Amino acid sequence: MKKILGLVAVGVSMISLSACGNKSAKVKDTRDLLKTPLEKDVTTMGTFVKVTVYDKNKEAAVDQALKIPVTYNKLTTVNQSGSQIDQINQNAGVKPVKVDAGVYELIKAGYRYSAKDLGYDITIGSLTSLWNIGMDNARKPSQKEIDQVLPLINYKYIEFNDEAHTVYLTKPSVRLDLGSIVKGFVAMKMVNSLKENGVTTGIVNLGSSSIYVIGHSPRGASDPWSIGIKDPNDPTGQQMGILKASNQHVNTSGIYERYLEVDGHKYSHILNPKTGYPFENDIASITLLISGKDQTNGDGLSTMIYAMGTKKGYEYIEKMKNVEAVFVDKDNKVYLTSGIKDQFELTETKTFKIGNINDLK
């Protein structure tokens, strides 16, 4: 359940961000920043991972942060024999497996989202491996195959031992798949590392779908970053709107970047653990803006909200603190939660229109 490449730079490259003006009173900027930022990246976890830092003398901090996704790729991938997730899966119904503290923390985070029972479950691995959407061997499985694996999807089959840091899948053939949350989790590990090493102004970007902007933009202490949200119907094209953010998470989920087409029908990569098929609802994409602490940079939450559809997802977020959202539906209507309206600008007004959530049933 990977994310689409939903976020793009405003007027720059696909993975950079820029500053935007703020009409409010300016705050004196006491930061001593680079005019040309330090930018480094690695390709891992099936995507690019880029760090951009404006603070001076932070090369070592950036190098240290970029080691984190490489490490977690080795530990958590389900496509690589010998990873700790692979060991847990291979020992399902056999014995508990001891894992690193970070991997244990990651699985616990996925478990908490799964326990909400709102269309998200990290034991979905047996189903995602059937469809393999986004891979060369993607296919639509038979109903018989789906029926065989559905009983294996249940977070209650995960057993933890906090003292020993072991994870045990109590039923044979149960499989974890953390692809829906690992990028966001790693992004936050990288952010924490950078901040601990004195970074005040920068960007952590995992595949343009899981982004964290550190501090305000380099243009000024009162100027936010500007993030372009892409057209979900054409994720390789221009953005459809601009979102302002400072020291916040920005996370996008959607359906058009990775899909399987069979007999003229497009099947999204976001699978429903209850039915065994991709979710079918009115959401084309959802972008979350999160303030404060979130262990998975919004990854788990965005997948869960996507499963609800626009109306229910909107209502769910309205009840949450420190979370706002931009919904884009398949009719090209854009719905903004109440706290984000002053931070979002719709730029593609020919195709997209701001909708009224009360018009939805």
Side-chain angles (χ1 to χ4, degrees), residues 31 63 71 82 84 93 104 112-114 120 132 137 160-161 193 234 249 252-254 267 286 293-294 318 350:
R31 298 171 298 176
D63 289 340
T71 297
Q84 292 189 351
Y104 191 79
R112 285 191 291 271
Y113 277 115
S114 302
Y120 179 89
N132 267 328
N137 59 344
F160 296 96
N161 185 315
S193 175
D234 182 17
H249 322 251
T252 289
S253 287
Y267 293 92
I286 174 176
K293 295 181 179 180
D294 186 292
E318 284 286 76
K350 291 182 179 180

Coordinates of all heavy atoms in Angstrom, one line a residue, residues 31 63 71 82 84 93 104 112-114 120 132 137 160-161 193 234 249 252-254 267 286 293-294 318 350:
R31 N 18.3 33.7 11.8 CA 19.0 32.6 11.3 C 20.1 33.0 10.4 O 20.0 33.9 9.6 CB 18.0 31.6 10.6 CG 16.9 31.1 11.5 CD 15.9 30.4 10.6 NE 15.2 31.3 9.7 CZ 14.4 30.9 8.7 NH1 14.0 29.6 8.7 NH2 13.8 31.7 7.9
D63 N 24.4 13.5 6.2 CA 24.9 12.2 5.9 C 24.3 11.2 6.9 O 23.9 10.1 6.6 CB 26.4 12.2 6.0 CG 27.0 12.9 4.8 OD1 26.3 13.1 3.8 OD2 28.2 13.3 4.9
T71 N 19.1 1.8 6.2 CA 19.1 0.8 7.3 C 17.7 0.2 7.4 O 17.5 -1.0 7.4 CB 19.4 1.5 8.6 OG1 20.8 1.9 8.6 CG2 19.3 0.5 9.8
G82 N 15.7 -12.3 4.5 CA 16.6 -12.0 5.5 C 16.3 -10.7 6.3 O 16.9 -10.5 7.4
Q84 N 14.2 -8.3 8.8 CA 13.5 -8.7 10.0 C 12.0 -8.9 9.9 O 11.4 -9.8 10.5 CB 13.8 -7.6 11.1 CG 15.2 -7.6 11.6 CD 15.5 -6.7 12.8 OE1 14.6 -6.0 13.3 NE2 16.7 -6.8 13.3
G93 N 3.4 -18.6 13.3 CA 3.0 -19.9 13.8 C 4.0 -20.8 14.4 O 3.8 -21.9 14.8
Y104 N 10.5 -2.6 16.1 CA 9.5 -2.9 17.1 C 8.5 -1.8 17.2 O 7.3 -1.9 17.3 CB 10.2 -3.3 18.4 CG 9.3 -3.9 19.5 CD1 8.9 -5.2 19.4 CD2 8.7 -3.1 20.5 CE1 8.1 -5.8 20.4 CE2 7.9 -3.6 21.5 CZ 7.6 -5.0 21.4 OH 6.8 -5.5 22.4
R112 N -1.4 -0.1 16.2 CA -2.3 0.8 16.8 C -3.3 1.3 15.8 O -4.5 1.5 16.0 CB -1.6 2.0 17.5 CG -0.9 1.6 18.8 CD -0.5 2.8 19.6 NE 0.7 3.4 18.9 CZ 2.0 3.1 19.1 NH1 2.2 2.2 20.0 NH2 2.9 3.7 18.5
Y113 N -2.8 1.6 14.6 CA -3.8 2.0 13.5 C -4.7 0.9 13.1 O -5.9 1.1 12.9 CB -3.0 2.5 12.3 CG -2.5 3.9 12.4 CD1 -1.2 4.3 12.4 CD2 -3.4 5.0 12.4 CE1 -0.8 5.6 12.5 CE2 -3.0 6.3 12.4 CZ -1.7 6.6 12.5 OH -1.3 7.9 12.6
S114 N -4.1 -0.3 13.0 CA -5.0 -1.5 12.7 C -6.1 -1.7 13.7 O -7.2 -2.1 13.3 CB -4.1 -2.7 12.6 OG -3.0 -2.6 11.6
Y120 N -7.8 -0.6 7.8 CA -6.4 -0.7 7.7 C -5.9 -1.8 8.6 O -6.4 -2.0 9.7 CB -5.8 0.7 8.2 CG -4.3 0.7 8.2 CD1 -3.6 1.2 7.1 CD2 -3.6 0.3 9.3 CE1 -2.2 1.2 7.1 CE2 -2.2 0.4 9.3 CZ -1.5 0.8 8.2 OH -0.2 0.9 8.2
N132 N 0.2 -7.7 -6.0 CA 1.5 -7.2 -6.4 C 1.4 -6.0 -7.3 O 2.2 -5.8 -8.3 CB 2.4 -8.3 -7.1 CG 3.3 -9.0 -6.2 OD1 3.7 -8.5 -5.2 ND2 3.5 -10.3 -6.4
N137 N 5.1 -8.3 -11.9 CA 4.2 -9.5 -12.0 C 2.8 -9.3 -11.4 O 2.1 -10.2 -10.9 CB 4.9 -10.7 -11.2 CG 5.2 -10.3 -9.7 OD1 5.1 -9.1 -9.4 ND2 5.4 -11.3 -8.9
F160 N 3.1 -9.2 21.0 CA 4.3 -8.5 21.3 C 4.8 -8.9 22.7 O 4.1 -9.3 23.6 CB 4.0 -7.0 21.4 CG 3.6 -6.4 20.1 CD1 2.2 -6.2 19.8 CD2 4.5 -6.0 19.2 CE1 1.8 -5.7 18.6 CE2 4.2 -5.4 17.9 CZ 2.8 -5.3 17.7
N161 N 6.1 -8.8 22.8 CA 6.8 -9.0 24.1 C 7.7 -7.7 24.3 O 8.8 -7.6 23.7 CB 7.6 -10.2 24.2 CG 8.2 -10.5 25.6 OD1 8.8 -9.6 26.2 ND2 8.2 -11.7 26.1
S193 N 16.6 13.2 13.9 CA 18.0 13.2 13.8 C 18.6 14.6 13.4 O 19.5 15.1 14.0 CB 18.5 12.1 12.8 OG 19.9 12.1 12.7
D234 N -3.4 13.3 -13.3 CA -2.2 13.4 -14.1 C -1.0 13.7 -13.2 O -0.5 14.9 -13.2 CB -2.4 14.5 -15.2 CG -1.1 14.6 -16.1 OD1 -0.3 13.7 -16.1 OD2 -1.0 15.6 -16.8
H249 N 4.1 18.1 8.9 CA 4.0 17.0 8.1 C 3.1 17.2 6.9 O 2.0 17.8 7.1 CB 3.5 15.7 8.8 CG 3.9 15.5 10.2 ND1 4.8 14.6 10.6 CD2 3.5 16.2 11.3 CE1 5.0 14.6 11.9 NE2 4.2 15.6 12.4
T252 N 0.5 12.6 1.3 CA -0.5 12.4 0.3 C -0.7 10.9 -0.1 O 0.2 10.1 -0.2 CB -0.2 13.1 -1.1 OG1 -0.3 14.5 -0.9 CG2 -1.1 12.7 -2.2
S253 N -2.0 10.5 -0.2 CA -2.4 9.2 -0.7 C -3.3 9.3 -1.8 O -4.1 10.3 -1.9 CB -3.1 8.4 0.4 OG -2.2 7.9 1.4
G254 N -3.3 8.4 -2.8 CA -4.2 8.5 -3.9 C -4.1 7.2 -4.7 O -3.5 6.2 -4.4
Y267 N -7.6 -1.0 -11.2 CA -7.6 -1.5 -9.8 C -6.5 -0.7 -9.0 O -5.3 -0.8 -9.4 CB -7.3 -3.0 -9.7 CG -8.5 -3.8 -10.2 CD1 -8.5 -4.2 -11.6 CD2 -9.6 -4.2 -9.5 CE1 -9.5 -5.0 -12.1 CE2 -10.6 -4.9 -10.0 CZ -10.6 -5.3 -11.3 OH -11.6 -6.1 -11.8
I286 N -5.9 12.4 -1.2 CA -6.1 13.1 0.0 C -4.7 13.5 0.5 O -3.7 12.8 0.5 CB -6.8 12.2 1.1 CG1 -6.8 13.0 2.5 CG2 -6.1 10.9 1.2 CD1 -7.5 12.2 3.6
K293 N 3.4 15.9 17.0 CA 4.1 14.6 16.8 C 3.1 13.6 16.1 O 2.0 13.5 16.5 CB 4.5 14.1 18.2 CG 5.6 14.9 18.9 CD 6.0 14.3 20.2 CE 7.1 15.2 20.9 NZ 7.5 14.6 22.2
D294 N 3.7 12.9 15.1 CA 3.0 11.8 14.5 C 4.1 10.8 14.1 O 4.9 11.1 13.2 CB 2.2 12.2 13.3 CG 1.4 11.1 12.7 OD1 2.0 10.2 12.1 OD2 0.2 11.1 12.8
E318 N -12.2 16.3 11.0 CA -12.8 17.5 11.7 C -12.8 17.3 13.2 O -12.8 18.3 14.0 CB -14.1 17.8 11.2 CG -14.2 18.5 9.8 CD -13.7 20.0 9.9 OE1 -12.5 20.2 10.0 OE2 -14.6 20.8 9.8
K350 N -9.7 25.8 -13.9 CA -10.4 25.3 -15.0 C -10.9 23.9 -14.8 O -12.1 23.5 -15.2 CB -9.6 25.4 -16.3 CG -9.2 26.8 -16.7 CD -8.4 26.8 -18.0 CE -8.1 28.2 -18.5 NZ -7.2 28.1 -19.7

